[in-house]
Amino acid sequence: MVAPPAPPPTLPTPIGRSVLRADRKRIRRAVAERRRAESSEVRRFTRAMRRRRILIGAAAGFLVVSVATPVLLAVSPAFAVRTVTVTGADAALSGQVRQALAGEVGVPIALVDEAALTRRIGSVAGVASFTVARLPPGTLAVRVVARTAVAQVRTAGGYALVDAAGVALRASATRLPVVPLVTAQPGSTGFGAAAAVLATLPAALRSQVTTVGARTADDVTLTLQHGRTVVWGSADDGPAKAAALAAALVRVAKGQHRIDVSVPGSVSVG
């Protein structure tokens, strides 16, 4: 038997073809819109990343410039030490301090070594203490506390002007006028007591003292002009002893050369 022929394919109706075309258009339009949306999102993300990179780069550049510029300026020759000013001292001592710091001239002010400053200024005998300020562009401002001479002592080469700590401030081949001579050597207990007594005396009394002797801390003796001797004792009760000595000098009789103020409430004159 021969099989009956297959029925011819069913062709879409005009209405069906229109529906297919509309569906394909919608699909293409949806795909195109999706691609546009994706492209727009990529562009937006790229712009945001670019702006972020620019901002980060600008911030990093500003930080580098703000940190590096002062450092570069501070160590540049434009900020080198050109002037050293000294206050708190007389002309002679100020000149010694400036001379001690001459090696810092030309050094960038930020690179001046603190240890070197301390060593150089500390080498000037007349300076008790000091502070240093760096004043850009090129000034070192030094403020010193000067040592005060209170006496002179004998040395191998003659005499030396010393402060209360026994630091030698100036040397002389001959005895210095006006300044009291302390026979005890610096560093001894006798010298410390003698220096303390001289610091206690009012200027009017101190100007009359020619020599101060002290074998120990408790037997300070003053020699005044015209040969009078004052037994002072220890450095304790200095103001009371000074007042007692001033009163005794007013009433001391001619020919009396010894005044004992070691007990200020019981002064003896002989």
Side-chain angles (χ1 to χ4, degrees):
M1 274 181 78
V2 178
T10 302
L11 298 174
T13 63
I15 296 176
R17 286 196 294 273
S18 299
V19 171
L20 289 175
R21 282 195 298 272
D23 289 341
R24 283 197 288 274
K25 287 180 180 179
R26 283 196 297 272
I27 292 171
R28 284 196 297 272
R29 189 162 48 249
V31 170
E33 290 175 354
R34 177 62 181 171
R35 287 176 179 171
R36 283 194 297 272
E38 290 176 350
S39 297
S40 176
E41 184 65 20
V42 169
R43 286 193 298 272
R44 186 189 66 79
F45 180 77
T46 301
R47 284 195 299 270
M49 288 296 293
R50 189 180 298 115
R51 284 195 297 269
R52 190 174 295 112
R53 290 195 197 99
I54 292 172
L55 290 174
I56 292 174
F62 175 77
L63 181 61
V64 169
V65 171
S66 63
V67 171
T69 298
V71 174
L72 291 175
L73 288 175
V75 301
S76 72
F79 281 75
V81 176
R82 290 183 173 83
T83 305
V84 177
T85 64
V86 181
T87 57
D90 59 20
L93 183 57
S94 296
Q96 293 175 26
V97 173
R98 283 193 294 270
Q99 181 61 36
L101 295 180
E104 302 296 341
V105 175
V107 177
I109 197 166
L111 300 183
V112 173
D113 184 57
E114 292 288 343
L117 289 177
T118 299
R119 184 173 60 256
R120 290 176 175 176
I121 301 176
S123 68
V124 180
V127 175
S129 62
F130 66 90
T131 58
V132 180
R134 305 167 195 243
L135 305 178
T139 298
L140 287 178
V142 184
R143 182 171 183 80
V144 303
V145 175
R147 296 184 183 275
T148 302
V150 297
Q152 60 183 310
V153 295
R154 285 192 179 93
T155 65
Y159 297 84
L161 191 66
V162 297
D163 71 348
V167 175
L169 307 181
R170 182 161 63 92
S172 174
T174 58
R175 181 169 174 172
L176 300 167
V178 182
V179 183
L181 173 68
V182 175
T183 58
Q185 287 301 303
S188 66
T189 56
F191 178 86
V197 170
L198 288 173
T200 300
L201 288 174
L205 287 178
R206 189 166 56 247
S207 65
Q208 299 182 51
V209 178
T210 60
T211 306
V212 183
R215 291 186 300 274
T216 69
D218 297 319
D219 67 347
V220 178
T221 301
L222 312 179
T223 301
L224 307 183
Q225 297 168 353
H226 309 299
R228 289 194 176 99
T229 298
V230 178
V231 178
W232 192 275
S234 71
D236 297 337
D237 301 321
K241 292 178 180 179
L245 176 58
L249 288 173
V250 172
R251 57 184 172 82
V252 66
K254 186 177 180 179
Q256 293 180 315
H257 299 288
R258 186 176 184 276
I259 304 172
D260 189 337
V261 296
S262 58
V263 180
S266 180
V267 177
S268 64
V269 177

